[in-house]
Amino acid sequence: MITIAGCTDAYKDCRKKKRKTANATKFELDYENNIVQLVREVNNRTYYPSRSIAFVVTRPKYREVFAADFRDRILHHYIALRIVPI
């Protein structure tokens, strides 16, 4: 089970570099309720990742990128914050 406090820490870590994006701004408008809903979905096993946004980057080299939704990135940071110390 994940906690609201842990998810809030992950949210703060995640927004450092993504604060000006549209998805981050949308999430931040009601972040407390969004975090509670995210924790509830994960703990109830009803969470499903959103669709990724695909785009092409030409520098430094031509490649296709699939960017996760901001909500999904919070869970990525939640997991990373627990794995990195190990």
Side-chain angles (χ1 to χ4, degrees):
M1 289 184 52
I2 69 171
T3 64
I4 291 175
C7 203
T8 302
D9 291 341
Y11 162 70
K12 290 177 182 176
D13 188 52
C14 183
R15 76 177 184 175
K16 286 179 186 174
K17 295 183 181 178
K18 298 293 180 184
R19 194 150 200 185
K20 295 182 181 182
T21 64
N23 281 338
T25 304
K26 181 180 171 186
F27 189 91
E28 193 165 333
L29 289 174
D30 192 21
Y31 80 93
E32 291 170 340
N33 288 329
N34 289 331
I35 288 175
V36 169
Q37 181 183 358
L38 181 60
V39 169
R40 194 174 291 144
E41 287 178 18
V42 171
N43 290 338
N44 291 335
R45 299 178 187 220
T46 59
Y47 167 78
Y48 288 98
S50 303
R51 290 183 137 191
S52 297
I53 300 167
F55 57 94
V56 176
V57 177
T58 57
R59 294 181 187 256
K61 157 175 150 174
Y62 185 83
R63 61 193 168 107
E64 190 174 19
V65 177
F66 292 90
D69 188 51
F70 186 76
R71 187 172 187 254
D72 299 332
R73 293 179 62 84
I74 292 172
L75 287 179
H76 298 166
H77 281 259
Y78 183 89
I79 294 166
L81 287 172
R82 274 128 192 92
I83 292 176
V84 169
I86 295 172

